[in-house]
């Protein structure tokens, strides 16, 4: 097997680690906030592009051993801090207990699994290790932790929180200081909160993956701000509710969501109208019918159970035709937000599944994918039969299963891995098709997923995946034990801009095709030439690489101005032990030995009388490394 290695990443897109540091070392400027300059020698010591900038931000240059004086907090930041203190008081939360701390970092041989196995597993199964999740996995083992994740109660509903936020703010617009540009994206901030601080770690990672398969966006501007936020919140709530159930129910939840109805234009989709000559003068909107098949269930081409293409005379066999789309579109007519005309529904109705208006539903026969729904079938029954037909298609297991593998574990699973996951989808061992729990177990516990658990720092034969910028930020936040400060709105905002953020944010995909396509390989790349893909590279370019590392470094420095942060588990360690622990939390121990040595030397130059700065520098170095930019390589 070929890894998505630093070398391959260099050739696929602009370099992300030592090469970038080397090429840009002489171009690094003084950071205006702190006034320190990075020398070329320091930049070349194994840092990624703005790992060097991270040192500039923290005053850890080659010739400096004194900590930088922190810049005075801006009025906006100070106001955020005061607001958090008013609402939350002192930080009384318990991020982790002494027992959890001891269990998380106990010597290998104690507990069910060693630290590297647990950390690498949590990088796949959650948004990254925290002290408590690392302790739980090491104590319980991998499979029991998954079962406890299935049983864990979900957090407060996003819809309820957003209504409470609206009431507290007196409307749908706000200008509260946040980490990122001010915005009125209630639900995007809510997604950051759940991903960064949610205790239901497994659920939140699966929801994040599903949001990149069943894509909606808060970019939609054809309904009001409030309706947009509430319907998006209800969609994410639905994913939280159904992600551990059956895929058939999940598909129905997606289909009846008002968010999806608005985004793919079948809310208030009307039946066909015909002229006197019988020629249609209006036909139903086909948008959702097409994307339901192409993106949400079966894909464009027929698949074998291992995800490989079924060929006919050497060419792929299409799963559906335009006639299938035309007929299936009739199923999705007559559906709208509850409380139909006269008047638009009140705000709360946008959080509910859509309902059928029989008079607007196509009465014609609906013939697609080899099945027939007779003429005159009522809307709800038409929908049931259509979704049953799609759900039963042989493609669903390999098509959805492979994408879940790609989102969680590796961009390039072997055919055997896909086949095992597809088999779990087809039958959970008890004759049930579409059991999401069986699917998740199969993805996370497969021998191929766990093959790198006992490797060293350089896992040359283990294929991983490029980390998305927003998920890198979330992983760093979780390593810092981020907690909700209790502000009216969670103060992480729209970071999708390449100049003002990390180049990506939840629910901000530019299209229904997500931020990137599952089969993307960068043109003229070594990976592409070898037949491998790296989907996330479609999102990556030079500005995004630089901006994302810069913004994550800024977050490390300023996070406690916005969130509750607990880095006590990283204080008091020797420079080498600190760097190794951060490597464990962020990369599953995959930082190469040479980089660990370089990072240790840099951390050692920070005054031991500023332990917080030492922790920040260690986090910035590892978070800017190739081992972090590429997951579990």
């Amino acid at each position: 097997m070929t890894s998505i290695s630093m070398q391959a990443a260099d050739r696929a897109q602009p370099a992300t680690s030592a090469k970038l540091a080397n090429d840009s070392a002489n171009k690094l400027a003084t950071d205006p906030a702190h006034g320190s300059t990075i020398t070329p020698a320091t930049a070349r010591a194994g840092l990624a592009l703005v790992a060097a900038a991270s040192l500039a931000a923290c005053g850890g240059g080659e010739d400096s051993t004194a900590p930088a004086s922190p810049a005075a907090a801006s009025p906006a930041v100070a106001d955020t801090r005061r607001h958090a203190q008013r609402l939350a008081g002192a930080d009384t939360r318990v991020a982790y207990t002494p027992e959890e701390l001891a269990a998380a970092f106990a010597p290998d041989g104690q507990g069910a699994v060693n630290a590297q196995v647990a950390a690498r597993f949590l990088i796949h199964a959650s948004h990254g290790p925290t002290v408590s999740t690392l302790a739980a996995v090491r104590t319980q083992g991998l499979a029991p932790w998954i079962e406890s994740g299935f049983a864990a109660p979900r957090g407060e509903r996003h819809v309820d929180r957003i209504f409470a936020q609206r009431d507290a703010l007196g409307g749908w617009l706000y200008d509260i200081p946040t980490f990122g540009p001010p915005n009125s994206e209630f639900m995007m901030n809510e997604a950051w909160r759940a991903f960064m601080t949610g205790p239901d770690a497994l659920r939140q990672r699966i929801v994040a993956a599903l949001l990149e398969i069943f894509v909606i966006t808060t970019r939609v501007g054809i309904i009001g701000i409030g309706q947009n936020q509430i319907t998006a919140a209800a969609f994410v709530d639905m994913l939280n509710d159904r992600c551990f159930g059956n895929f058939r129910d999940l598909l129905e939840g997606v289909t009846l969501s008002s968010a999806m109805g608005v985004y793919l234009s079948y809310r208030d989709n009307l039946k066909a109208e015909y002229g006197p000559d019988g020629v249609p003068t209006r036909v139903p909107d086909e948008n959702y019918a097409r994307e339901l098949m192409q993106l949400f269930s079966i894909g464009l081409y027929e698949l074998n159970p291992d995800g490989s293409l079924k060929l006919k005379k050497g060419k792929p066999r299409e799963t559906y035709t335009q006639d299938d789309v035309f007929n299936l579109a009739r199923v999705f007519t007559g559906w709208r937000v509850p409380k139909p005309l006269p008047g638009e529904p009140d705000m709360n109705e946008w959080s509910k599944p859509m309902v059928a208006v029989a008079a607007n539903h196509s009465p014609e026969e609906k013939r697609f994918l080899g099945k027939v729904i007779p003429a005159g079938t009522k809307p709800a029954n038409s929908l049931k039969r259509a979704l049953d037909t799609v759900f039963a298609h042989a493609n669903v297991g390999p098509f959805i299963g492979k994408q879940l593998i790609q989102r969680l574990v590796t961009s390039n699973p072997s055919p055997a891995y896909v086949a095992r996951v597809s088999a779990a989808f087809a039958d959970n061992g008890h004759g049930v098709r579409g059991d999401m729990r069986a699917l998740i177990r199969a993805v996370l516990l497969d021998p191929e997923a766990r093959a790198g658990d006992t490797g060293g720092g350089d896992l040359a034969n283990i294929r991983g995946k490029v980390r998305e910028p927003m998920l890198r930020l979330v992983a760093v936040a979780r390593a810092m034990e981020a907690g909700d400060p209790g502000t009216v709105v969670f103060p992480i905002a729209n970071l999708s801009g390449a100049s003002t953020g990390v180049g990506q944010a939840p629910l901000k995909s530019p299209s229904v095709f997500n931020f990137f396509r599952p089969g993307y390989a960068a043109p003229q790349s070594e990976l592409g030439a070898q037949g491998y893909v790296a989907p996330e590279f479609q999102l990556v370019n030079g500005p995004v690489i630089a901006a994302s590392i810069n913004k994550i470094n800024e977050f490390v420095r300023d996070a406690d101005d916005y969130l509750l942060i607990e880095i006590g588990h990283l204080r008091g360690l020797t420079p080498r032990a600190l760097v190794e622990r951060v490597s464990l939390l962020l990369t599953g121990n995959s930082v190469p030995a040479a980089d660990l040595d370089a990072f240790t030397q840099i951390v050692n130059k920070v005054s031991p009388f500023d332990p917080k700065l030492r922790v920040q520098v260690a986090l910035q170095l590892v978070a800017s490394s190739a081992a972090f930019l590429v997951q579990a390589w």
Side-chain angles (χ1 to χ4, degrees):
M1 295 191 293
T2 302
S3 66
I4 297 181
S5 63
M6 178 176 154
Q7 180 184 18
D10 284 351
R11 297 183 183 182
Q13 282 283 345
T16 58
S17 189
K19 182 177 182 297
L20 274 174
N22 216 25
D23 293 345
S24 61
N26 294 312
K27 301 177 184 178
L28 292 170
T30 298
D31 181 81
H34 293 82
S36 294
T37 302
I38 295 301
T39 68
T42 302
R44 293 190 180 103
L47 307 181
L49 173 60
V50 198
S54 79
L55 295 181
C58 289
E62 173 85 351
D63 300 319
S64 173
T65 57
S69 300
S74 67
V77 169
D79 182 71
T80 300
R81 187 189 300 115
R82 287 194 297 270
H83 189 58
Q85 291 168 344
R86 284 199 304 270
L87 292 183
D91 181 0
T92 57
R93 71 192 179 106
V94 179
Y96 52 83
T97 66
E99 293 77 17
E100 287 174 327
L101 184 63
F105 303 110
D108 287 346
Q110 298 182 18
V113 295
N114 69 35
Q116 178 172 298
V117 171
R120 188 171 181 275
F121 169 75
L122 285 166
I123 289 169
H124 295 159
S126 73
H127 285 296
T130 63
V131 171
S132 60
T133 58
L134 193 60
V137 171
R138 295 199 64 189
T139 302
Q140 300 172 14
L142 277 57
W145 185 85
I146 291 176
E147 300 308 312
S148 68
F150 291 151
R154 59 156 297 175
E156 187 179 358
R157 299 186 67 79
H158 295 301
V159 166
D160 296 336
R161 287 180 55 88
I162 288 177
F163 274 129
Q165 291 164 6
R166 177 203 62 180
D167 293 344
L169 293 166
W172 293 107
L173 297 174
Y174 66 86
D175 187 12
I176 290 175
T178 56
F179 183 74
N183 68 96
S184 296
E185 301 273 4
F186 289 81
M187 187 52 227
M188 182 177 58
N189 299 49
E190 275 292 291
W192 286 121
R193 179 189 64 81
F195 295 167
M196 287 183 171
T197 72
D200 50 343
L202 176 62
R203 185 189 306 273
Q204 292 311 317
R205 185 64 189 93
I206 300 302
V207 166
L210 294 176
L211 278 171
E212 295 196 350
I213 297 173
F214 305 110
V215 176
I216 64 163
T217 181
T218 55
R219 291 174 182 265
V220 176
I222 60 176
I223 53 177
I225 293 175
Q227 290 96 325
N228 191 351
Q229 298 305 307
I230 289 300
T231 193
F235 185 82
V236 181
D237 280 335
M238 180 276 298
L239 294 182
N240 274 272
D241 290 338
R242 302 191 184 208
C243 66
F244 295 155
N246 192 281
F247 185 81
R248 169 62 178 78
D249 296 330
L250 181 60
L251 205 58
E252 184 167 318
V254 169
T255 301
L256 292 180
S257 162
S258 59
M260 190 63 76
V262 169
Y263 187 41
L264 292 187
S265 60
Y266 64 101
R267 165 195 170 232
D268 291 324
N269 192 10
L270 299 176
K271 64 185 178 182
E273 286 186 350
Y274 300 89
D277 54 1
V279 176
T281 57
R282 181 184 67 200
V283 295
D285 186 294
E286 298 177 354
N287 206 5
Y288 185 70
R290 180 176 289 104
E291 307 308 356
L292 170 64
M293 293 187 288
Q294 179 182 349
L295 300 178
F296 301 163
S297 59
I298 64 177
L300 290 172
Y301 302 110
E302 293 188 14
L303 302 174
N304 294 306
D306 66 1
S308 61
L309 294 171
K310 288 184 177 181
L311 302 177
K312 184 176 182 179
K313 296 181 179 180
K315 296 183 179 180
R317 295 161 50 178
E318 294 182 349
T319 54
Y320 60 87
T321 67
Q322 176 55 34
D323 283 342
D324 292 320
V325 174
F326 179 82
N327 277 268
L328 183 56
R330 292 170 171 170
V331 172
F332 306 113
T333 54
W335 294 92
R336 66 161 288 129
V337 180
K339 291 189 178 178
L341 298 176
E344 278 296 313
D346 65 41
M347 193 63 66
N348 191 53
E349 301 301 312
W350 288 90
S351 69
K352 299 177 182 178
M354 292 191 295
V355 297
V357 179
N360 294 335
H361 183 73
S362 295
E364 300 96 337
E365 176 184 88
K366 305 164 181 73
R367 187 180 297 267
F368 61 97
L369 297 180
K371 302 293 182 181
V372 178
I373 299 175
T377 303
K378 294 181 179 180
N381 197 24
S382 287
L383 183 73
K384 178 183 182 305
R385 295 176 70 163
L387 295 182
D388 286 346
T389 298
V390 171
F391 173 64
H393 195 285
N395 263 31
V396 181
F399 183 74
I400 295 297
K402 183 176 181 179
Q403 287 192 71
L404 200 58
I405 295 171
Q406 288 184 306
R407 299 282 54 77
L408 301 178
V409 180
T410 175
S411 298
N412 295 283
S414 70
Y417 187 2
V418 175
R420 290 187 291 269
V421 169
S422 179
F425 181 92
D427 186 342
N428 68 351
H430 302 283
V432 176
R433 176 177 175 80
D435 181 353
M436 290 295 294
R437 297 189 181 199
L439 180 65
I440 292 164
R441 291 187 196 101
V443 169
L444 295 175
L445 297 177
D446 189 86
E448 190 167 323
R450 307 273 54 87
D453 285 349
T454 57
D458 294 301
L459 305 178
N461 295 318
I462 304 302
R463 292 172 294 183
K465 63 188 294 291
V466 176
R467 290 186 194 246
E468 300 167 52
M470 68 178 179
L471 298 187
R472 285 191 275 125
L473 177 63
V474 172
V476 170
R478 291 185 68 80
M480 297 175 74
E481 301 287 332
D484 187 346
T487 50
V488 174
V489 176
F490 190 73
I492 306 296
N494 187 357
L495 300 177
S496 60
S499 60
T500 57
V502 298
Q504 190 186 21
L507 297 164
K508 301 301 285 186
S509 171
S511 79
V512 73
F513 296 101
N514 191 28
F515 300 99
F516 40 79
R517 301 299 300 273
Y520 178 80
Q524 300 179 327
S525 66
E526 179 180 325
L527 285 171
Q530 295 182 28
Y532 293 104
V533 301
E536 294 83 357
F537 264 134
Q538 191 171 3
L539 180 68
V540 174
N541 54 44
V544 167
I545 293 173
S548 62
I549 295 176
N550 269 331
K551 200 66 178 179
I552 290 171
N553 289 341
E554 179 187 340
F555 177 84
V556 170
R557 186 178 67 240
D558 297 338
D560 56 359
D561 286 329
Y562 299 94
L563 307 179
L564 303 180
I565 296 297
E566 172 54 69
I567 56 173
H569 62 295
L570 297 173
R571 290 177 181 263
L573 300 173
T574 66
R576 180 67 178 207
L578 170 59
V579 169
E580 288 180 346
R581 182 167 292 186
V582 174
S583 171
L584 175 72
L585 292 171
L586 293 184
T587 77
N589 244 5
S590 62
V591 175
D595 285 353
L596 289 175
D597 291 341
F599 296 169
T600 300
Q601 292 176 27
I602 295 167
V603 172
N604 194 47
K605 291 181 180 295
V606 179
S607 170
F609 297 104
D610 195 342
K612 178 181 178 181
L613 183 60
R614 277 194 164 187
V615 170
Q616 290 173 332
V617 169
L619 284 163
Q620 290 171 325
L621 289 168
V622 176
S624 302
S625 70
F628 184 58
L629 298 177
V630 179
Q631 172 182 303
W633 60 317

